[in-house]
């Protein structure tokens, strides 16, 4: 029997699976969207519930927010009811060909040459669960399922689709629900108004993060997350006649848990086998504290 199988191949495979496993669990965007990802629709289902969510807009480990228009951008039409229908974004005046950039780091979910009244369109999903939408472009400069950093060129301004002048139609959305971008972004100073977005019973409100509370995103390429869903189709690279079938990977060791809907200290304690009192001690909190969605609970 041959026993000189290159040992690193099965090991490399297990490490690969472990890495992907860790990605799948640790990203709020993956949890919020129930690991769903599509390149076809701006809106897919009604995921936003009446619960409470807290989203961090300036997480450590990620590039800071960048205003989507590089050139001056006068607000020519606000978010809200307009002509008997809802205008679900803000219109920012641009000239033909002005650069449009990604507002935050994220993964391009849609890059369309034509999408109904939006014309040429880009939609990016960000790791905190927000999505941003950029419409009426004259040119799309990114491909779907690719990672972009805040400030990366994603398209050029135009008036494709239903538009009467060159402008950027810009939307911010959470769980497919659009909200007024000016709740969190000042279009005059081109800066974020707050570091936190609170959503309570479908109402969006800017907030600030308690000084004692920090959240670090996983510094990962978010697009990797969505490749995870093909994880069970991966076959080991080692020659099957000389190697054992792949062993199920042990669960990745987690150092923190991000609070999702329905979580309680009791549930987290059971899930990770850590006592409630220890969790409280590590996280400097009380048993009676309310767990806000998106909060990072340290496990060690
Ligand atoms: Zn518009």
């Amino acid at each position: 029997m041959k026993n000189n199988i290159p040992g690193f191949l099965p090991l490399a495979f297990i490490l690969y699976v472990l890495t992907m496993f860790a990605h799948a669990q640790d990203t709020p965007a993956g949890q919020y969207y129930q690991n769903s990802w599509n390149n076809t629709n701006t809106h897919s289902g009604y995921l936003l519930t009446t619960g409470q969510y807290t989203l961090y807009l300036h997480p450590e480990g990620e590039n800071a927010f960048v205003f989507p228009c590089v050139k001056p951008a006068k607000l020519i039409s606000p978010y809200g009811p307009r002509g008997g229908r809802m205008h679900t974004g803000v219109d920012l005046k641009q000239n033909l060909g002005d650069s449009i950039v990604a507002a935050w780091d994220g993964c391009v979910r849609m890059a369309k040459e034509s999408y109904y009244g939006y014309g040429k369109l880009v939609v990016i999903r960000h790791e905190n669960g927000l999505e941003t939408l950029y419409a009426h472009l004259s040119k799309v400069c990114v491909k779907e399922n690719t990672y972009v950093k805040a400030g990366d060129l994603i398209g050029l301004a135009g008036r494709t689709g239903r538009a009467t002048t060159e402008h950027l139609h810009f939307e911010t959305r959470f769980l497919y629900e659009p909200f007024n971008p000016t709740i969190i972004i000042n279009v005059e100073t081109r800066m974020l108004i707050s570091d936190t977005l609170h959503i309570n019973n479908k109402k969006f409100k800017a907030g600030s993060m308690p000084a004692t509370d920090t959240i670090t995103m996983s510094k990962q390429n978010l697009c990797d997350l969505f490749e995870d869903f093909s994880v069970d189709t991966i076959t080991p690279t080692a020659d099957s006649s000389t190697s054992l079938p792949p062993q199920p990977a042990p669960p990745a060791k987690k150092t923190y848990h991000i609070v999702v809907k329905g979580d309680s200290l009791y549930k987290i304690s059971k899930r990770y086998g850590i006592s409630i009192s220890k969790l409280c001690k590590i996280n400097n909190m009380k048993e009676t504290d309310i767990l806000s969605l998106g909060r990072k609970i340290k496990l060690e």
Side-chain angles (χ1 to χ4, degrees):
M1 178 189 163
K2 282 186 197 171
N3 59 358
N4 57 344
I5 309 157
F8 68 91
L9 282 175
L11 180 65
F13 172 71
I14 288 169
L15 285 176
Y16 180 55
V17 172
L18 266 178
T19 318
M20 298 184 97
F21 191 80
H23 284 171
Q25 291 208 328
D26 285 346
T27 301
Q31 297 177 7
Y32 285 140
Y33 290 87
Q34 299 162 9
N35 292 339
S36 68
W37 177 258
N38 76 75
N39 303 129
T40 49
N41 296 303
T42 54
H43 184 284
S44 183
Y46 295 89
L47 294 178
L48 185 61
T49 69
T50 52
Q52 289 182 36
Y53 304 82
T54 299
L55 270 60
Y56 298 99
L57 305 176
H58 193 168
E60 272 178 57
E62 290 213 342
N63 294 298
F65 167 82
V66 177
F67 195 74
C69 302
V70 172
K71 294 282 177 66
K74 190 174 182 294
L75 179 69
I76 52 172
S77 183
Y79 180 99
R82 186 176 77 179
R85 53 198 291 174
M86 191 65 185
H87 183 229
T88 54
V90 290
D91 289 347
L92 301 162
K93 180 70 185 115
Q94 292 284 269
N95 292 320
L96 182 66
D98 282 351
S99 296
I100 304 301
V101 299
W104 285 278
D105 297 356
C107 188
V108 177
R109 190 165 72 72
M110 294 174 70
K112 298 291 178 217
E113 289 304 312
S114 176
Y115 189 86
Y116 304 102
Y118 285 122
K120 290 185 195 278
L121 165 86
V122 172
V123 177
I124 302 173
R125 185 173 294 175
H126 308 287
E127 201 176 336
N128 61 5
L130 283 187
E131 289 194 326
T132 47
L133 179 152
Y134 314 76
H136 308 310
L137 303 173
S138 59
K139 186 166 189 233
V140 170
C141 302
V142 281
K143 292 205 160 55
E144 287 169 350
N145 309 322
T146 58
Y147 187 69
V148 289
K149 292 202 176 91
D152 282 353
L153 182 74
I154 55 165
L156 303 179
R159 55 180 291 178
T160 56
R162 198 167 47 239
T164 51
T165 180
E166 280 75 15
H167 72 282
L168 173 69
H169 171 91
F170 175 69
E171 295 189 13
T172 47
R173 296 172 168 226
F174 178 61
L175 293 176
Y176 305 123
E177 204 80 30
F179 63 94
N180 190 341
T182 64
I183 291 173
I184 52 171
I185 300 163
N186 182 325
V187 297
E188 274 161 27
T189 63
R190 306 160 71 94
M191 313 265 271
L192 280 182
I193 292 168
S194 70
D195 59 11
T196 309
L197 173 67
H198 293 299
I199 303 143
N200 187 0
N201 198 12
K202 301 192 177 184
K203 297 232 160 42
F204 293 77
K205 208 171 132 222
S208 59
M209 189 163 61
T212 52
D213 201 2
T214 59
I215 189 157
T216 306
M217 293 297 182
S218 44
K219 291 187 187 172
Q220 71 190 25
N221 178 334
L222 183 62
C223 291
D224 287 348
L225 172 73
F226 307 108
E227 289 172 5
D228 288 1
F229 309 131
S230 59
V231 71
D232 49 14
T233 64
I234 293 169
T235 48
T237 48
D239 182 341
S240 59
S241 67
T242 58
S243 70
L244 294 168
Q247 301 299 306
K253 175 124 174 72
K254 295 193 67 183
T255 57
Y256 64 89
H257 170 84
I258 290 183
V259 175
V260 294
K261 192 162 177 283
D263 268 349
S264 64
L265 265 183
Y266 176 77
K267 273 194 189 170
I268 297 169
S269 157
K270 281 276 171 239
R271 179 168 167 188
Y272 297 100
I274 304 167
S275 70
I276 292 179
S277 56
K278 191 174 172 198
L279 281 174
C280 289
K281 197 172 168 210
I282 302 171
N283 291 283
N284 193 21
M285 61 190 284
K286 293 196 211 82
E287 278 186 39
T288 50
D289 284 0
I290 289 167
L291 297 181
S292 51
L293 291 176
R295 177 167 179 178
K296 185 172 153 183
I297 302 291
K298 290 184 215 153
L299 302 174
E300 56 182 39

